[in-house]
Amino acid sequence: MKQVVELDRAARRITIESGMSYGQLCPYLDQQGFALHNLASLPHISIAGACATATHGSGPKNGNLSTAVSALEIVTARGDVLPIARTRDRDTFQAAVVHLGAIGVVTKVTLDLQPAFTMRQDVYLDLPMAQVREHFEDIASAGYSVSLFTDWQKGRVNEVWVKRRVEKDAPLTTSKDFYGARPATANVHPIMELSAENCTEQMGVPGPWYERLPHFRMGFTPSSGKELQSEYFVPRRNAVEAIAAVERLRDHVTPHLMITELRTIDADELWMSPCYKRPSLAIHFTWKQEWESVSKVLPMIERELAPFDVRPHWGKLFTIPSAELQQRYEKCAEFKRFVAQYDTHGKFRNEFLSAKLYG
Ligand SMILES: Cc1cc2nc3c(=O)[nH]c(=O)nc-3n(C[C@H](O)[C@H](O)[C@H](O)COP(=O)(O)OP(=O)(O)OC[C@H]3O[C@@H](n4cnc5c(N)ncnc54)[C@H](O)[C@@H]3O)c2cc1C
């Protein structure tokens, strides 16, 4: 199920079958003169799966990828076809978009579009953490999408990826100094030591939105789910304190870490989104394959971030006890009542949902 069902040019919307990935959809959209508002770090993931877990990119004014959903078609446990649309079913819609697979099988997804745009990305190296503390909001807003990569050592952010829209007649230049960081002189990988071959083009070279918003190129197979990843969302107003809290744990974190990425995401109204009603900072960790050690570090991070009402990414590893997790989602009980209407006998309940939402 990987076909385009309908492109509604006038309404700026596209309906696709749910097996389609962003990598399949984006070149087609671009050819048709349209774009999505944002993308995750890689385009290989399915649109339905990404939206089910509130997958996100970056940009203080960009909601997560689920915020582009304007309608869904779901086959429920009873085999009924349930159409849900933003304009028609307000509350149901806000409950259904980030659904964690709990409601039924999504068969179609409709997404909001915008006119296609051109972007460039510039990378800066060695941004002092002191500058992040002083100027967090300015740094996070320096582009349409900004990512900070750090290994938490030496009081610095290793790389800053600034993705900017290129508007006609307004040429952009790379400044020689970015809050004390220096421009990279060649394409780099988020982990400096790795080859940049599978990374999207940098060095300010303009290109289509879908070849600049993700960090990784479509043509390369990603590491097929072998990563250990965690990500924690805190309110953006607590960003600096939360970063400092993790930095204090650096000697526990770094030995098991490939890299951390810091991104901002706008607030939304989707019940089970980690950004529900709060503009957020997301602190991501790509871990080495050392689960035994990582599983001991996660509770430490979660304890440090608890004062900020931390919410974990649904699609990544966390150890927050289920009672605590459910408290952090004010709509959790309502979501479970909503799910029960369509899946009375828990046909779609799996190990993860049983442990985290019903445990
Ligand atoms: C290398 C890598 C990079 C990543 N980068 C990012 C990133 O930049 N930002 C970010 O936020 N996340 C990121 N993630 C996490 C990723 O976006 C989520 O795990 C996402 O859910 C993956 O989508 P998927 O297509 O693999 O979906 P799946 O893992 O297949 O699905 C996710 C869940 O959605 C449900 N689902 C999927 N399809 C359907 C359907 N048709 N009907 C009903 N339910 C369905 C299922 O319950 C499933 O458990 C990354 C993951 C990897 C491995």
Side-chain angles (χ1 to χ4, degrees):
M1 297 179 67
K2 295 181 178 177
Q3 303 300 316
V4 170
V5 179
E6 189 194 3
L7 172 62
D8 184 339
R9 291 182 164 277
R12 285 197 189 156
R13 272 191 218 117
I14 189 156
T15 301
I16 50 108
E17 293 178 340
S18 57
M20 198 174 214
S21 71
Y22 285 98
Q24 289 157 344
L25 173 64
C26 293
Y28 168 79
L29 274 184
D30 192 59
Q31 273 168 19
Q32 300 296 321
F34 291 106
L36 297 172
H37 77 293
N38 211 342
L39 290 170
S41 67
L42 78 176
H44 306 70
I45 49 179
S46 76
I47 295 164
C51 293
T53 57
T55 292
H56 62 93
S58 189
K61 295 195 183 123
N62 291 320
N64 65 46
L65 305 191
S66 329
T67 61
V69 175
S70 70
L72 291 173
E73 181 188 271
I74 304 176
V75 176
T76 67
R78 282 190 296 269
D80 300 329
V81 176
L82 173 70
I84 300 188
R86 188 198 283 141
T87 46
R88 195 184 51 222
D89 316 292
R90 197 170 166 275
D91 264 8
T92 332
F93 177 81
Q94 290 173 353
V97 176
V98 179
H99 54 78
L100 311 176
I103 303 168
V105 180
V106 173
T107 45
K108 287 181 196 155
V109 184
T110 305
L111 299 170
D112 291 337
L113 303 176
Q114 51 178 281
F117 54 95
T118 302
M119 297 194 83
R120 59 179 279 170
Q121 61 182 340
D122 295 279
V123 176
Y124 300 89
L125 307 177
D126 294 330
L127 171 71
M129 271 292 184
Q131 294 283 345
V132 177
R133 282 191 285 278
E134 276 293 293
H135 304 286
F136 177 78
E137 278 302 326
D138 295 336
I139 290 170
S141 313
Y144 183 79
S145 164
V146 176
S147 289
L148 277 62
F149 292 97
T150 181
D151 60 6
W152 299 104
Q153 294 296 316
K154 300 185 189 162
R156 54 100 167 85
V157 164
N158 310 41
E159 298 175 18
V160 186
W161 290 35
V162 182
K163 299 166 192 261
R164 290 180 289 177
R165 290 173 73 126
V166 179
E167 308 295 350
K168 254 198 192 135
D169 308 324
L172 290 170
T173 50
T174 314
S175 61
K176 293 261 177 304
D177 174 77
F178 182 83
Y179 298 92
R182 64 182 194 284
T185 52
N187 284 358
V188 292
H189 188 281
I191 303 167
M192 200 55 165
E193 299 74 38
L194 300 186
S195 156
E197 189 190 12
N198 63 354
C199 296
T200 46
E201 191 65 43
Q202 303 157 30
M203 302 297 298
V205 179
W209 55 280
Y210 68 94
E211 289 182 353
R212 295 295 178 275
L213 282 171
H215 308 326
F216 300 105
R217 286 159 58 183
M218 185 61 194
F220 288 76
T221 310
S223 41
S224 60
K226 273 201 176 157
E227 291 88 355
L228 300 181
Q229 302 185 2
S230 304
E231 192 165 35
Y232 296 103
F233 297 73
V234 295
R236 197 154 80 225
R237 65 172 183 279
N238 299 125
V240 169
E241 296 157 90
I243 292 168
V246 179
E247 204 185 0
R248 282 196 294 276
L249 293 174
R250 63 185 170 276
D251 292 339
H252 298 282
V253 169
T254 311
H256 311 293
L257 184 74
M258 305 279 277
I259 201 71
T260 275
E261 182 175 6
L262 305 171
R263 287 176 281 186
T264 53
I265 308 103
D266 202 3
D268 60 55
E269 295 292 328
L270 307 172
W271 290 6
M272 297 307 282
S273 161
C275 303
Y276 178 68
K277 289 205 185 293
R278 64 185 209 196
S280 300
L281 165 75
I283 309 177
H284 164 92
F285 304 82
T286 299
W287 301 107
K288 294 177 187 164
Q289 294 289 325
E290 297 171 359
W291 174 237
E292 213 182 307
S293 309
V294 170
S295 65
K296 294 191 179 85
V297 178
L298 296 186
M300 296 164 102
I301 299 173
E302 290 161 3
R303 211 174 306 125
E304 285 299 311
L305 296 180
F308 313 116
D309 238 357
V310 61
R311 295 173 183 160
H313 193 307
W314 292 112
K316 302 185 184 182
L317 297 161
F318 58 92
T319 63
I320 298 173
S322 63
E324 220 172 299
L325 178 70
Q326 290 171 43
Q327 270 176 11
R328 304 252 166 90
Y329 283 86
E330 59 193 80
K331 291 285 194 181
C332 190
E334 262 184 89
F335 176 71
K336 287 193 279 186
R337 283 197 292 277
F338 172 73
V339 168
Q341 284 175 46
Y342 299 102
D343 188 11
T344 327
H345 302 296
K347 185 178 273 186
F348 290 102
R349 201 174 296 175
N350 55 23
E351 204 182 321
F352 176 84
L353 291 173
S354 297
K356 305 296 181 190
L357 284 197
Y358 297 89

